[in-house]
């Protein structure tokens, strides 16, 4: 983790990478020092914390990664230079699914879930087979059964923090997240905002992308994503202050 210049306490963002497998320490350090999104938050006065989790590619329904990231949140909240009342979570894809899982945690002020892998969050996906995952994202209506809907609604009702979803319009997860998950989150009473970035590939919110789904991120979209998140965080903090004062 890194902190801005000064004594703090600083607001902090805990970042959760995508995929199903643990990242080595050198990758986490590289994100903290070189990633164009992470470093911009640091420059804006936020402490930046990179989390990883045990691999679960062979046990897709394991709660181990959620417990790992939950422990990372609590560890970050106890760092002396971090303000535990201003602790945010930012996750992408598989990390976006975990971020939603953490949105019910008391020490999390708000969550940014970028193209969250809700095929995992909802319990639809029971195998790590990649072709099955692609099929579910292409045709989610076939797999999002009434039973899955009910269990997902029950999970969503446990979310306590405001959520911002950042999405491209190209990746197949949009077929699940926009027409199915977004209305369900509203039904569950989640404080939810949805921002769509046309044309970009999966991972553009890390400064990546450039895959079969869409184009790679450029400086303009990176700065737009960071600005959108900062605005969202400020709004969330304003709401917290208003509640305290009343």
């Amino acid at each position: 983790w890194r902190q801005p210049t000064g004594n703090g306490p600083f607001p902090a963002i805990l970042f959760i990478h995508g995929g199903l497998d643990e990242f080595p320490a050198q990758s986490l350090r590289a994100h903290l020092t070189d990633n164009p999104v992470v470093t911009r938050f640091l420059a804006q006065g936020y402490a930046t914390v990179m989390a990883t989790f045990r691999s679960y590619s062979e046990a897709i329904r394991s709660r181990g990664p959620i417990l790992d990231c939950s422990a990372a949140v609590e560890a970050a909240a106890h760092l002396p230079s971090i303000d535990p009342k201003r602790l945010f979570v930012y996750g992408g894809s598989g990390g976006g699914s975990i971020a939603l899982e953490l949105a019910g945690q008391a020490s999390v002020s708000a969550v940014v879930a970028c193209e969250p892998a809700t095929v995992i969050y909802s319990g639809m996906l029971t195998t790590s087979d990649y072709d099955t995952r692609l099929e579910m994202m292409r045709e989610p209506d076939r797999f999002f059964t009434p039973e899955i809907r009910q269990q997902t609604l029950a999970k969503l009702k446990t979310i306590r923090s405001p959520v911002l979803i950042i999405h491209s319009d190209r990746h197949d997860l949009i077929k699940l997240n926009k027409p199915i998950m977004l209305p369900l989150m509203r039904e569950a009473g989640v404080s939810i905002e949805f921002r769509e970035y046309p044309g970009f590939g999966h991972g553009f919110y890390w400064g990546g992308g450039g895959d079969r789904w869409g184009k790679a991120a450029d400086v303009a979209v990176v700065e737009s994503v960071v600005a959108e998140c900062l605005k969202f965080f400020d709004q969330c903090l304003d709401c917290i202050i208003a509640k305290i004062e009343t």
Side-chain angles (χ1 to χ4, degrees):
W1 72 285
R2 299 178 71 189
Q3 68 178 51
T5 302
N7 297 321
F10 303 103
I13 307 173
L14 182 129
F15 295 92
I16 309 174
H17 61 79
L20 307 178
D21 294 303
E22 182 177 358
F23 270 26
Q26 60 265 32
S27 294
L28 302 179
R29 284 194 291 268
H31 272 73
L32 287 171
T33 58
D34 300 330
N35 183 273
V37 174
V38 177
T39 52
R40 276 171 168 78
F41 282 114
L42 181 72
Q44 290 295 322
Y46 283 76
T48 53
V49 184
M50 282 300 305
T52 192
F53 45 80
R54 72 194 78 177
S55 297
Y56 64 115
S57 52
E58 299 305 318
I60 199 69
R61 304 186 82 168
S62 169
R63 286 194 59 81
I66 300 164
L67 296 175
D68 293 341
C69 291
S70 175
V73 166
E74 293 307 314
H78 286 89
L79 290 169
S81 58
I82 284 180
D83 183 352
K85 295 180 181 178
R86 295 184 292 164
L87 179 55
F88 306 95
V89 174
Y90 182 111
S93 195
S97 175
I98 297 175
L100 290 177
E101 298 275 4
L102 300 181
Q105 198 158 326
S107 51
V108 174
S109 300
V111 163
V112 178
C114 305
E115 296 186 327
T118 48
V119 289
I120 300 174
Y121 179 87
S122 65
M124 287 168 56
L125 190 64
T126 59
T127 172
S128 58
D129 179 71
Y130 188 62
D131 289 338
T132 301
R133 199 186 321 168
L134 291 178
E135 186 179 8
M136 284 184 171
M137 292 189 296
R138 281 195 306 266
E139 302 178 81
D141 288 331
R142 289 179 47 208
F143 299 92
F144 203 80
T145 64
E147 292 77 17
I148 292 291
R149 185 187 190 281
Q150 285 305 114
Q151 74 180 35
T152 305
L153 181 62
K155 282 185 71 172
L156 291 171
K157 287 181 178 179
T158 68
I159 290 179
R160 301 170 56 180
S161 305
V163 176
L164 169 63
I165 292 181
I166 288 177
H167 227 293
S168 78
D169 64 341
R170 296 290 186 90
H171 192 274
D172 282 340
L173 273 168
I174 194 78
K175 299 174 183 177
L176 172 60
N177 287 335
K178 190 173 183 179
I180 297 175
M181 289 298 298
L182 183 57
L184 198 61
M185 294 179 87
R186 289 175 174 150
E187 181 181 337
V190 177
S191 175
I192 177 72
E193 296 185 25
F194 190 95
R195 297 291 181 270
E196 193 169 312
Y197 290 81
F200 290 96
H202 195 51
F204 72 94
Y205 38 82
W206 293 118
D211 55 20
R212 65 191 181 90
W213 280 289
K215 62 186 177 182
D218 52 27
V219 171
V221 76
V222 165
E223 293 185 346
S224 177
V225 166
V226 171
E228 193 68 55
C229 291
L230 293 173
K231 177 182 175 183
F232 172 66
F233 295 156
D234 286 344
Q235 290 171 345
C236 293
L237 292 175
D238 288 343
C239 290
I240 292 170
I241 292 169
K243 287 179 181 178
I244 292 172
E245 291 177 344
T246 56

